[in-house]
């Protein structure tokens, strides 16, 4: 398989073949995101992709799951994307599920019928980075999308019966808007009703444009306990009907895996115990945190 640069995938795609169909991210402006800043966005040619699929079909006929990278592979025009997916299905007879990253703008470029067509051809998971429900924060981080458009995009995915997995980002609003970020994120999660939610904690490596804002004193990251408070608000104030909620990403201070609403009270109890103890040894040590 030929990969250009570092390739990122969601933790839940650990067992999938990662097929790089785009390079970088079509948006690439989010100031907290270091992922693709060194890559110029392009869609790989079908010949390049075909070569990788052919290679996989020789060595891994048993493959059941494929994840299409990079950052925003759903931006690929419908016919080209179908061509890739159809070829995957033809070459990998045991393929059951295809996952893909898609930002809200890319989702909205597809009609419900087009999304349903992708679903019919086994594209069954879309991963969408929401980060925050707070409009001011979305603007500040250059997310390039509004609350309303993200809800519309998410509804379209759900209407096509494609599973929707979203990420939210603890700390992304800084200390200044920490509480409102958490409350508005709880609100957007309620409006969207995702199948899966991953809460990650903001880490700011030097490659992220936000890094220089921290250096200049223009952005302050909340403390670990303030971040935990954000997590508490998101769980307490959202009203989720049937969702798996994870905060067990390597960046988080307190791992939680909860089926909501069933585990809401037990999750809040755990967070409250840690918050009221004020005991930092109950949190993941810094040296174990990573992106
Ligand atoms: S967060 Fe997502 S949309 Fe924003 S730059 Fe990074 S990959 Fe692109």
């Amino acid at each position: 398989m030929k990969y250009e640069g570092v390739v990122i995938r969601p933790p839940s795609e650990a067992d999938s073949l990662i097929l790089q169909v785009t390079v970088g991210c079509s948006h690439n402006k989010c100031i907290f995101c270091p992922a693709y800043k060194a890559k110029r966005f392009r869609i790989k040619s079908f010949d390049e992709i075909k070569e990788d699929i052919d290679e996989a079909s020789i060595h891994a006929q048993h493959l059941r799951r494929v994840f299409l990278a990079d950052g925003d592979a759903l931006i690929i025009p419908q016919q080209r994307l179908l061509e890739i997916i159809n070829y995957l299905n033809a070459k990998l007879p045991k393929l059951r599920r295809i996952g893909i990253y898609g930002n809200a703008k890319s989702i909205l470029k597809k009609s419900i019928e087009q999304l349903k067509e992708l679903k019919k051809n086994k594209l069954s998971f879309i991963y969408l980075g929401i980060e925050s429900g707070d409009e001011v924060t979305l603007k500040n981080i250059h997310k390039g999308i509004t609350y309303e458009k993200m809800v519309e995009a998410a509804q379209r995915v759900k209407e096509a019966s494609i599973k929707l997995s979203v990420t939210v980002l603890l700390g992304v609003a800084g200390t200044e808007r920490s509480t409102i970020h958490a409350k508005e994120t709880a609100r957007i999660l309620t409006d969207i009703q995702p199948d899966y939610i991953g809460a990650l904690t903001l880490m700011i490596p030097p490659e992220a444009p936000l890094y220089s804002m921290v250096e200049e004193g223009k952005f302050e990251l909340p403390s670990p306990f303030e971040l935990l408070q954000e997590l508490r608000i998101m769980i307490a104030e959202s009203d989720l009907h049937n969702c798996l909620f994870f905060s067990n990403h390597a960046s988080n201070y307190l791992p939680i895996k909860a089926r909501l609403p069933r585990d809401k009270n037990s999750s809040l109890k755990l967070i409250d115990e840690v918050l009221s103890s004020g005991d930092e040894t109950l949190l993941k040590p810094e040296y174990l945190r990573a992106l």
Side-chain angles (χ1 to χ4, degrees), residues 130-132 166-170 185 189 197-201 234 245:
I130 286 177
E131 331 309 352
S132 177
V166 305
T167 50
V168 297
L169 200 45
L170 306 176
T185 303
L189 291 175
I197 300 170
L200 277 60
T201 298
M234 286 179 198
F245 187 102

Side-chain angles (χ1 to χ4, degrees), residues 179-249:
T179 303
I180 188 150
H181 156 59
K183 285 176 173 285
E184 286 297 280
T185 303
R187 188 163 75 88
I188 199 169
L189 291 175
T190 304
D191 283 347
I192 287 178
Q193 295 291 328
D195 300 290
Y196 301 88
I197 300 170
L200 277 60
T201 298
L202 179 67
M203 299 183 79
I204 314 172
E207 309 82 61
L210 189 57
Y211 187 85
S212 56
M213 288 177 68
V214 175
E215 298 267 275
E216 291 160 18
K218 293 179 184 155
F219 182 92
E220 191 186 0
L221 193 61
S223 71
F225 285 105
E226 286 167 339
L227 292 165
L228 213 48
Q229 189 61 46
E230 286 187 11
L231 182 64
R232 190 195 192 286
I233 294 171
M234 286 179 198
I235 295 176
E237 297 198 9
S238 56
D239 181 10
L240 296 158
H241 305 160
N242 185 15
C243 169
L244 260 179
F245 187 102
F246 300 92
S247 74
N248 54 0
H249 184 262

Side-chain angles (χ1 to χ4, degrees), residues 19-23 26 41-46 49 68-70 72-85 100-102 106-107 109-110 114 118 123:
L19 181 68
Q20 191 182 34
V21 293
T22 59
V23 177
S26 63
F41 179 75
R42 74 178 180 94
I43 298 172
K44 282 190 172 181
S45 72
F46 185 64
I49 297 166
L68 303 180
D70 269 347
D72 178 30
L74 196 68
I75 192 80
I76 297 176
Q78 182 77 353
Q79 285 317 312
R80 282 180 78 175
L81 189 52
L82 274 174
E83 194 179 13
I84 296 166
I85 288 175
I100 196 166
Y101 280 130
S106 308
I107 294 169
K109 279 185 194 292
K110 307 257 186 261
Q114 287 178 322
L118 295 173
L123 191 143

Side-chain angles (χ1 to χ4, degrees), residues 67-128:
F67 179 73
L68 303 180
D70 269 347
D72 178 30
L74 196 68
I75 192 80
I76 297 176
Q78 182 77 353
Q79 285 317 312
R80 282 180 78 175
L81 189 52
L82 274 174
E83 194 179 13
I84 296 166
I85 288 175
N86 289 339
Y87 196 67
L88 269 172
N89 279 310
K91 298 296 276 190
L92 300 171
K94 299 211 167 138
L95 185 61
R96 291 286 169 271
R97 132 181 178 175
I98 300 169
I100 196 166
Y101 280 130
N103 69 29
K105 274 188 188 161
S106 308
I107 294 169
L108 290 172
K109 279 185 194 292
K110 307 257 186 261
S111 66
I112 292 173
E113 287 65 37
Q114 287 178 322
L115 289 170
K116 281 184 177 165
E117 197 180 10
L118 295 173
K119 170 72 194 323
K120 209 170 84 192
N121 289 284
K122 299 184 188 160
L123 191 143
S124 38
F125 264 81
I126 293 181
Y127 296 85
L128 166 68

